[in-house]
Amino acid sequence: MTLRVENIGSLEALDAASWNAAAGEIYPFLRHEFLATLEATGCASVETGWQPDHLVVYRGDAVVAVLPRYAKFHSRGEYVFDWAWADAWERAGGDYYPKSLCAIPFTPAAGPRLGVRPDESRREVMAALAPYLVGTGMVSWHLLFAESDEVADWRETFEAPLMERHAVQFAWRDDGFGDFEGFLGRMSSRKRKEIRRERRKVEEQGFTFARLTGEAIDDDALAHFFRCYCMTYLERGQRPYLTLEFFTRLRDRLADSMLLVQAIHQGRLVAAALCFEGRSDEGHGRLFGRYWGSEVEADFLHFETCYYQGIEHCLETGLDYFDPGTQGEHKLTRGFSPTLSRSLHYLDHQGFRDAVADFCAEERAYVQTYLTQCEQRLPFKTGGDAKQVPNKPMSDEPMSDEPVPDEPAPRRPTS
């Protein structure tokens, strides 16, 4: 039977089991529960500039692939920034919006964008989807934060010219560390001492931590987390994208995939970080740090709550990958390696496309240089001891023209 493509204007039009059979388990943000909750609570809706128009691929009556897609009326909440492209096109007299966007709303975490059942050919599915993605009357199509092998397959399958953009993110990978001390043991002595000093300083300030999962994330814990989450945005003069209703409904539907880290001072909750995890049938697992906020200022509290507690959770539960959130060179010396994130872009107008393609080529060269510089700053031993690299200052500010409230720059630690 040949493949058949349908578009749906709401995730509620398709049952969760059918969607998730294609989406898989290891990437929680592609799951029906996450995306449908965004829609049901109005966070991703026509009113907020995210009009759902998802693509579902059938073989016979069976769902074999799914692709989240939105008609987008602005560029907020994406974290791959095309404001300059939109400005240039509109100054030339065109309408850049709405644009066609395949992405997870408000989620700059790399992962699969196209979910395909294991017994199906991804390239065959992509070939069936191609006519629904370009030539649709919109100026552009964008695929954000896709995994590298998926990007390669899109480029091989598409006849239309696709432009690729790169950015650097940071991720922790378990290299058989065993426990946190084993992780520290792979570092140079200087970096190992610095992390121990940071953690000791947090303890000396009187902070303790709790890690809640599943049913332990009750309404009170969630309400405190949401207060902290909102503070992250308000500090930047912004309104939060997500609502307490969203987090509450998501907890009710996806609690087993959530990890809430609480920071406690003198018996009072003062900071929180919310993470999500996913596991594959083969036993591999990923942790994604997504949201953080604090009611207090304290040395190294951000690092402990958002990084060290997450690494410990991974080591204790068998997760082998931890994406702590976008941006932040301060992650390097704490054991998070630089990695490329990729996105694909199609522009319908050839002249416009040629100009943007030149920009993307220059940007990729810059990003590759930056990635190399980051790799030289990793704290791990090479040979007898770590390679000593001059500790050149690097900015903690995001490389973008929009703040990244889901992953704020840490409060400057003092030593």
Side-chain angles (χ1 to χ4, degrees):
M1 289 180 285
T2 59
L3 296 175
R4 170 172 54 90
V5 180
E6 293 186 3
N7 67 298
I8 56 175
S10 168
L11 262 294
E12 296 301 331
L14 185 68
D15 64 279
S18 296
W19 179 280
N20 288 340
E25 300 286 335
I26 198 167
Y27 187 72
F29 310 116
L30 191 58
R31 290 179 60 85
H32 187 279
E33 294 89 341
F34 188 87
L35 295 169
T37 303
L38 284 170
E39 295 177 17
T41 56
C43 297
S45 63
V46 174
E47 291 74 19
T48 61
W50 296 78
Q51 180 176 324
D53 190 27
H54 310 301
L55 296 173
V56 182
V57 183
Y58 292 84
R59 191 179 293 280
D61 294 330
V63 174
V64 299
V66 295
L67 181 65
R69 183 178 67 167
Y70 301 85
K72 194 76 191 311
F73 295 88
H74 52 68
S75 293
R76 293 188 296 276
E78 298 175 16
Y79 306 97
V80 177
F81 304 100
D82 61 350
W83 300 107
W85 303 1
D87 180 65
W89 187 245
E90 291 177 356
R91 287 177 14 153
D95 293 322
Y96 190 76
Y97 304 105
K99 62 183 182 180
S100 180
L101 179 75
C102 291
I104 309 299
F106 321 117
T107 308
R113 291 299 172 263
L114 174 64
V116 182
R117 292 181 64 105
D119 55 347
E120 291 286 338
S121 163
R122 184 162 64 185
R123 291 194 179 186
E124 183 181 357
V125 167
M126 289 176 172
L129 285 169
Y132 296 83
L133 298 174
V134 300
T136 60
M138 293 189 184
V139 170
S140 62
W141 172 67
H142 310 262
L143 178 84
L144 307 186
F145 293 100
E147 293 179 326
S148 294
D149 58 345
E150 182 178 332
V151 167
D153 282 349
W154 281 114
R155 299 200 69 166
E156 285 291 325
T157 304
F158 257 55
E159 294 183 3
L162 298 177
M163 296 171 292
E164 186 168 343
R165 294 187 73 182
H166 293 170
V168 174
Q169 294 185 299
F170 303 89
W172 176 90
R173 294 172 176 81
D174 187 6
D175 190 23
F177 298 127
D179 56 20
F180 201 88
E181 280 302 309
F183 164 60
L184 293 181
R186 302 285 185 88
M187 294 184 174
S188 69
S189 59
R190 180 170 63 87
K191 294 300 182 183
R192 183 166 59 244
K193 289 176 182 177
E194 287 179 0
I195 292 177
R196 284 176 176 158
R197 180 175 61 85
E198 289 179 1
R199 304 198 79 186
R200 184 172 62 251
K201 182 67 173 180
V202 171
E203 183 178 359
E204 290 171 350
Q205 292 174 97
F207 291 97
T208 58
F209 295 85
R211 296 199 291 267
L212 307 182
T213 58
E215 295 180 355
I217 306 175
D218 59 20
D219 288 346
D220 290 341
L222 208 55
H224 174 263
F225 153 74
F226 185 71
R227 186 162 67 248
C228 293
Y229 163 76
C230 289
M231 290 182 66
T232 297
Y233 281 79
L234 295 175
E235 288 175 354
R236 295 173 177 267
Q238 296 183 342
R239 292 172 60 95
Y241 289 128
L242 305 174
T243 63
L244 180 57
E245 182 187 10
F246 165 77
F247 289 111
T248 302
R249 286 202 191 187
L250 191 62
R251 185 274 316 273
D252 293 342
R253 303 181 69 181
L254 207 60
D256 289 344
S257 295
M258 298 171 71
L259 167 69
L260 179 61
V261 179
Q262 296 177 317
I264 306 161
H265 188 260
Q266 297 181 350
R268 185 173 71 90
L269 296 175
V270 296
L274 184 62
C275 307
F276 293 82
E277 64 178 60
R279 296 178 187 271
S280 68
D281 293 337
E282 295 77 25
H284 299 293
R286 301 180 184 179
L287 183 68
F288 298 88
R290 290 302 306 120
Y291 316 106
W292 133 271
S294 176
E295 300 173 352
V296 300
E297 297 223 16
D299 296 340
F300 310 118
L301 179 61
H302 175 267
F303 302 147
E304 180 64 41
T305 309
C306 296
Y307 307 152
Y308 303 144
Q309 289 291 317
I311 291 173
E312 282 192 338
H313 177 76
C314 288
L315 290 167
E316 292 173 6
T317 61
L319 301 173
D320 48 26
Y321 180 92
F322 177 22
D323 172 356
T326 190
Q327 307 295 344
E329 293 147 354
H330 52 277
K331 298 181 179 77
L332 281 169
T333 56
R334 291 163 180 90
F336 293 88
S337 300
T339 182
L340 283 180
S341 66
R342 291 176 162 86
S343 63
L344 290 175
H345 308 267
Y346 170 79
L347 298 174
D348 192 52
H349 188 279
Q350 182 174 344
F352 187 28
R353 184 170 63 241
D354 290 344
V356 172
D358 289 342
F359 163 80
C360 289
E362 293 179 6
E363 183 185 52
R364 288 195 304 272
Y366 164 76
V367 169
Q368 184 58 52
T369 299
Y370 174 72
L371 177 72
T372 301
Q373 292 174 346
C374 288
E375 290 173 337
Q376 294 173 347
R377 290 176 53 85
L378 285 168
F380 298 107
K381 298 175 183 177
T382 57
D385 199 356
K387 180 181 179 181
Q388 297 301 311
V389 178
N391 191 24
K392 298 179 181 178
M394 300 176 77
S395 170
D396 285 343
E397 294 301 316
M399 295 185 299
S400 67
D401 54 2
E402 178 178 278
V404 185
D406 290 342
E407 170 59 4
R411 294 176 173 87
R412 298 290 181 181
T414 57
S415 54

